[in-house]
Structures are given as structure tokens and as C-alpha cells.
Amino acid sequence: MRNILFVASECYPFIKTGGLADVVGALPKMLNKDQFDVRVVIPKYMCIPWEYRQHFNYVTSFYMDLGYMPNHVYVGIMEYYFEGIHYYFIDNEGYFGGDKPYGEIKWDIEKFTFFSKAALAILPVVGFKPDIIHCHDWQAALVPVFLRTLYKDNGFFWGTKTIITIHNLKFQGIYDIKTFRYLTAFPEYVFTPANMEFNYDANMLKAGIVFSDYVTTVSDTYAGEIQMPYYGEGLDGLMRHKNHSLCGIVNGIDYNVYAPEHDIQIYEHYTPETFDKKVLNKRGLQQELGLPVDDNKFMIAMITRLTDQKGLDLVNYVIERITDEHTQLVVLGTGDEQYENLFRHYQWKYPERVSANIYYSDNRAHKLYAASDAMLMPSRFEPCGLTQLIALRYGSVPIVRETGGLKDTVQPYNWFENSGTGFSFANYNAEEMLNSINYAKTVYFTDRERWKEIAIRGMRMDYSWNNSARRYEELYYRLTPWY
Ligand code: ADP
């Protein structure tokens, strides 16, 4: 039995701001219980809903030194067995008492430095000796650094290997070296360009990558892309250096939650065999949104954070040409004001063609996946992307840019072979995107049977966690060959 510890700043259903939480919530449950004892450690945020927090059991507490801070810092340990997984929560109200998990950068840096050190410090206390510590993103990136420096002579951690998974390389946890020196008391060699230093500052994710035994990211293509300057966010050189111990494993989605055959949030259930019933969802949503109720409109959905990453400047450039009289563009998302206003404006200008839903709603999202004919994702970069996986499951045909996980999970439609599950374009260019959209429209309006076949092929793809969990297991085996 190998002991695996997940360290992360988010975990569904306790606390979620993005896809990271879904992965940390789902993956431990999917690993083989006979081979792996997987436990998860996250902060005990006060903003974790009470329905969960009330069940947390106090284990013990102690005081830990943190860098050169004059006073020792309180570390409380809470635990909770939930749906077969053993969770630990690190308690310190000073750090985790806020109404959301992240805030001002300097404070976040201190919070997650504390968290990373505490995640190691609790292990001898609770008696869980990990074979592998699997860290996620910059918030947990200092775990391998503490392990290989301040804890290197601690026999408890003999043989412990570390993995860091990069969910989005854009976020790295960068702050000045002086602050980190004070917060960590790392030996001076850590703050050199070969280790943590980055453009004269200190970079938590960089240090985590340098000090961990293996690096994974959330799709094969993204693992290749981040070794290039365009996608590397300044770390492409390091990623190339790590090439021999770097791989991409695509995320899965929860097939119980995203299931058109029994999703209680949608108007009408359907399966590949009863695909024709999908249109009832379109009618229902058109009515709900005040759009003309018409089966024959080509409904394009966008369910996304409205940020630069998601390719919204391309949409802005050609939106007048996307939204012809046969098309309905339904947007669900929040984010940058300029993009929120872009869609509000076009809803005002073309109320029968554009619906701007500028808020977060899980219910609307489910209805929109079920109602739409296509899902537009022209991302500038996309480490994995869950939206296209969910869209495939609901028979909403993805139209994507060939980057990161989008490239790995959407097979472009080929007219001659009648193969493929979506439409795609290569360059970050608005005209190319428009070409793909128009190609999709052409198939939709001229050959509805073919369109159905594309959608049904997508529904039959398997992007559940099953496959990806097996790949993580292989990696865990590979890193602990002595068992
Ligand atoms: P990212 O993690 O970069 O935001 P992903 O495609 O990996 O993008 O995941 C986005 C997830 O968030 C999807 O499950 C999507 O349905 C959901 N989502 C995004 N915006 C909204 C919204 N406004 N309302 C409901 N769900 C949303």
C-alpha cells in the first residue's frame, strides 16, 4: 500500500474557485483503494460551508516556527472522513479566517508559505508517512522546497517523493526575495537563479518545479507548449530542462454530475439513442431567455470566465459576422468589464440573436450545455479545459482553437471520412475562427444528419476520470519502484 498525500488550496465540495478544486476533489476517489491510501490536506477556511465544517473533528494543535518570525505560529489539525477519503484541514484563523480563499498577494504569499510548511509539519504528528506528496499549483509549491531543505535530515520523510501538478502556469506566486527570506528561512542557495530566483524576485512555482521529483500538467499538448516561450510564462527554459520528468495527463469530468440522461437541471433527458429530444432543451431555454423559440436557429454557447485567456478579443473582432439572422449566441460568464459590456451591448443591439448572462449560475450552465448546438472556445491558451469535455457529453459540438487540452480532446471534423467530434482552427486569428464557425454552420444547415453524427460521436467519447486516474497510478508506481 502506497501512501499518497494531496496538498492543495482548494478541494470540491469544501472550497472551489476553479478547475483545480474539481481535480483535487475527484482524483483521490478514483484511485485504486487497494493500492493507495490517499489523503488530502487543505486549509481550514472559515468560508468552507458550515454543513461541512460542523463535521470536522479536532485532532490536535501545536506551535511551529515560520522563517524568522519572532513568535511561533499556531497550527491546528482537523480531520474529516468524507465519501471514503481522509481529509486534513490546517487551522489558523489569522490566515484562513477571511470570507474568500484568496485576496491581496502579499498576504496570500505568507498564507500559503505557512500552509506548505504546516502540511509537512502535521504528518509526523498524525502519523501519516507519505510515499508521494502530490502538490498542486503555486499555493502548494513550497512543500518540495521545505522537504529538501529544512526537513532534509528528518528521518520521517526518508524516501518521500514529490510531484507538482501545474493547472495553470500563468499563476506563479511571485514576490520579493527579502520577504521570502523572512518567511521561510530557506538557506541562501535557494534564492539563486537556478532555484527560486526569477527576474530578481522569488517565484514559488518555479521553486516547486525545481525541487520536485516529477512535474505534471493537465494535458499532453500543454506539457509541450509550456516548453516554448509563447506559452512558457518565463519558465519555458526550466520546463525544457525538466523535460525528462514532465508529462501531461488530461483531466476528466464527473460523469454522474454531467449526464444528459439523468441531469435533473435540464428540461428533457436524452442519450445518443434519443438525441432528437435534445431540441426540447433548446426550446425551453429560448423561452426562458426571451429569445425567439425556433428549432432551426444555430445556438452557439460560451460558458466561461470573461478574461483575455479565453480568446474574447477574437470574438469581439467578428461578433457582427457570427451573429447572423440564423444564429443565437448565448454567453454565460463573468470577468473583465470590457468583455461583460461587449456582450451586454450586443444583446441590446440584437436582442433576438444575442443573450448575455453576466453572472455565475450552475443551473443555467447545465441548461445551456443541453440546449446549445455548439460551444465556442477560441482560447489563447488552455491547460486542459473542462467546458469542451462537458459540451461533448451533452452533444454540444465544440468549436475550439487547437491549443492545450482543446487540441487533445476535440478531434476536428473531416468531411471525407465523416469523422471527428468538433471544429477547430490553429492560429490565434479572428478570421480563422470565423471560418471554423462558418464551416460548422454549413454542416448544420445543409446536412443535419451529419451534424447529428458529429454530436453523437462526441457524446460517446470517454472523458471520465477513469482513464486519467490510471495514468496517475502508473506515475505513482514509477516513482516508488521499491514496493
Ligand atoms: P477555467 O478553469 O480556465 O475557468 P475550464 O473550462 O477548465 O476553465 O472550467 C470552467 C468551468 O466553470 C466549467 O465547468 C464551466 O461550466 C464553469 N463555468 C464557467 N463560468 C461559469 C458561469 N458563469 N456559470 C456557471 N458555470 C461556469
Side-chain angles (χ1 to χ4, degrees), residues 441-454:
K441 282 184 189 176
T442 307
V443 177
Y444 181 83
F445 285 112
T446 60
D447 197 340
R448 199 60 62 88
E449 272 311 303
R450 282 237 164 171
W451 181 269
K452 248 174 75 178
E453 285 166 21
I454 300 171

Side-chain angles (χ1 to χ4, degrees), residues 19 258 303-305 309-310 332-334 359-362 365 369 377 382 385-387 390:
Y258 299 108
I303 305 178
T304 180
R305 292 184 289 117
Q309 179 195 330
K310 301 295 181 178
L332 175 62
T334 56
Y359 46 78
Y360 190 95
S361 162
D362 195 45
Y369 282 114
M377 293 182 76
E382 195 63 73
L386 300 175
T387 311
I390 305 169

Side-chain angles (χ1 to χ4, degrees), residues 229-471:
Y230 183 81
Y231 295 98
E233 305 289 345
L235 295 180
D236 49 296
L238 174 62
M239 302 318 304
R240 288 195 296 278
H241 176 71
K242 276 273 179 177
N243 176 284
H244 60 287
S245 50
L246 164 69
C247 77
I249 302 176
V250 77
N251 290 335
I253 53 168
D254 189 334
Y255 270 31
N256 290 319
V257 176
Y258 299 108
E261 66 276 14
H262 63 237
D263 186 339
I264 52 168
Q265 309 211 57
I266 65 178
Y267 283 103
E268 185 72 36
H269 297 154
Y270 57 100
T271 62
E273 290 72 34
T274 58
F275 186 79
D276 291 338
K277 289 209 258 169
K278 178 173 160 69
V279 76
L280 299 173
N281 289 290
K282 187 193 266 185
R283 281 183 214 159
L285 189 68
Q286 283 169 331
Q287 194 144 22
E288 194 176 311
L289 298 177
L291 290 167
V293 178
D294 181 347
D295 294 355
N296 215 29
K297 295 280 190 232
F298 184 61
M299 185 186 280
I300 305 178
M302 295 187 76
I303 305 178
T304 180
R305 292 184 289 117
L306 299 175
T307 65
D308 286 335
Q309 179 195 330
K310 301 295 181 178
L312 296 155
D313 47 344
L314 302 188
V315 177
N316 182 18
Y317 202 69
V318 292
I319 190 166
E320 293 266 1
R321 288 188 280 162
I322 297 174
T323 52
D324 57 30
E325 72 268 32
H326 308 295
T327 304
Q328 292 176 340
L329 175 66
V330 182
V331 179
L332 175 62
T334 56
D336 296 353
E337 216 181 320
Q338 52 161 331
Y339 297 128
E340 293 188 347
N341 289 338
L342 164 78
F343 293 114
R344 285 193 185 109
H345 171 77
Y346 280 99
Q347 172 175 279
W348 166 79
K349 192 167 175 191
Y350 300 120
E352 306 207 321
R353 302 183 191 174
V354 178
S355 170
N357 303 275
I358 309 301
Y359 46 78
Y360 190 95
S361 162
D362 195 45
N363 179 265
R364 266 280 145 88
H366 279 250
K367 283 183 176 156
L368 186 49
Y369 282 114
S372 53
D373 297 296
M375 178 67 63
L376 180 60
M377 293 182 76
S379 303
R380 186 183 289 272
F381 68 93
E382 195 63 73
C384 176
L386 300 175
T387 311
Q388 84 280 14
L389 302 181
I390 305 169
L392 284 168
R393 186 91 173 107
Y394 282 81
S396 174
V397 175
I399 303 174
V400 303
R401 178 162 173 259
E402 290 159 14
T403 182
L406 297 175
K407 187 170 177 188
D408 293 350
T409 56
V410 178
Q411 282 88 46
Y413 171 62
N414 183 315
W415 186 83
F416 297 98
E417 296 174 354
N418 193 17
S419 64
T421 56
F423 294 81
S424 63
F425 59 100
N427 293 304
Y428 194 74
N429 176 297
E431 296 294 336
E432 276 196 30
M433 176 185 75
L434 189 63
N435 273 341
S436 290
I437 297 172
N438 286 340
Y439 185 18
K441 282 184 189 176
T442 307
V443 177
Y444 181 83
F445 285 112
T446 60
D447 197 340
R448 199 60 62 88
E449 272 311 303
R450 282 237 164 171
W451 181 269
K452 248 174 75 178
E453 285 166 21
I454 300 171
I456 289 172
R457 272 196 297 275
M459 291 180 80
R460 294 211 162 111
M461 299 296 291
D462 182 3
Y463 288 114
S464 67
W465 268 105
N466 264 332
N467 300 328
S468 310
R470 299 295 84 74
R471 289 200 56 198

Side-chain angles (χ1 to χ4, degrees), residues 23-290:
V23 177
V24 178
L27 180 54
K29 292 181 190 153
M30 298 304 295
L31 297 167
N32 183 345
K33 297 233 161 16
D34 298 330
Q35 299 285 330
F36 301 100
D37 180 354
V38 188
R39 305 193 185 184
V40 179
V41 53
I42 65 168
K44 180 181 166 270
Y45 301 109
M46 284 299 274
C47 51
I48 293 175
W50 177 243
E51 61 173 296
Y52 300 113
R53 229 166 1 105
Q54 63 179 331
H55 301 296
F56 296 178
N57 293 317
Y58 173 81
V59 181
T60 185
S61 63
F62 56 90
Y63 284 82
M64 177 181 84
D65 60 342
L66 188 63
Y68 297 110
M69 284 190 184
N71 299 317
H72 291 291
V73 192
Y74 173 83
V75 181
I77 309 173
M78 315 286 280
E79 70 180 347
Y80 183 30
Y81 295 94
F82 178 68
E83 297 184 346
I85 300 291
H86 195 151
Y87 294 93
Y88 296 109
F89 299 86
I90 292 188
D91 187 21
N92 180 308
E93 271 192 33
Y95 286 126
F96 304 125
D99 56 4
K100 50 186 189 338
Y102 314 120
E104 194 253 325
I105 178 72
K106 180 163 188 203
W107 188 228
D108 284 353
I109 293 281
E110 180 171 334
K111 251 172 19 191
F112 292 111
T113 299
F114 161 78
F115 171 64
S116 296
K117 188 168 186 189
L120 289 171
I122 66 165
L123 297 177
V125 180
V126 298
F128 184 70
K129 179 174 164 18
D131 296 296
I132 290 176
I133 306 183
H134 190 158
C135 311
H136 295 266
D137 275 352
W138 69 268
Q139 295 93 338
L142 290 190
V143 172
V145 192
F146 279 114
L147 187 70
R148 299 285 174 245
T149 57
L150 304 188
Y151 285 82
K152 74 179 190 311
D153 299 322
N154 188 329
F156 185 81
F157 293 106
W158 187 87
T160 297
K161 296 283 177 110
T162 51
I163 298 174
I164 186 157
T165 294
I166 303 168
H167 297 262
N168 190 336
L169 190 60
K170 194 159 187 70
F171 307 108
Q172 301 181 356
I174 300 173
Y175 213 75
D176 64 58
I177 289 178
K178 192 164 148 242
T179 302
F180 276 109
R181 220 177 246 137
Y182 177 73
L183 290 176
T184 62
F186 284 150
E188 206 42 41
Y189 75 85
V190 171
F191 299 104
T192 56
N195 295 300
M196 195 172 181
E197 187 188 323
F198 181 75
N199 297 339
Y200 305 106
D201 282 325
N203 180 328
M204 294 166 86
L205 184 66
K206 180 183 175 191
I209 294 168
V210 170
F211 281 84
S212 57
D213 296 295
Y214 207 91
V215 183
T216 76
T217 181
V218 285
S219 71
D220 253 343
T221 296
Y222 193 61
E225 285 173 343
I226 57 178
Q227 299 177 45
M228 298 186 263
Y230 183 81
Y231 295 98
E233 305 289 345
L235 295 180
D236 49 296
L238 174 62
M239 302 318 304
R240 288 195 296 278
H241 176 71
K242 276 273 179 177
N243 176 284
H244 60 287
S245 50
L246 164 69
C247 77
I249 302 176
V250 77
N251 290 335
I253 53 168
D254 189 334
Y255 270 31
N256 290 319
V257 176
Y258 299 108
E261 66 276 14
H262 63 237
D263 186 339
I264 52 168
Q265 309 211 57
I266 65 178
Y267 283 103
E268 185 72 36
H269 297 154
Y270 57 100
T271 62
E273 290 72 34
T274 58
F275 186 79
D276 291 338
K277 289 209 258 169
K278 178 173 160 69
V279 76
L280 299 173
N281 289 290
K282 187 193 266 185
R283 281 183 214 159
L285 189 68
Q286 283 169 331
Q287 194 144 22
E288 194 176 311
L289 298 177

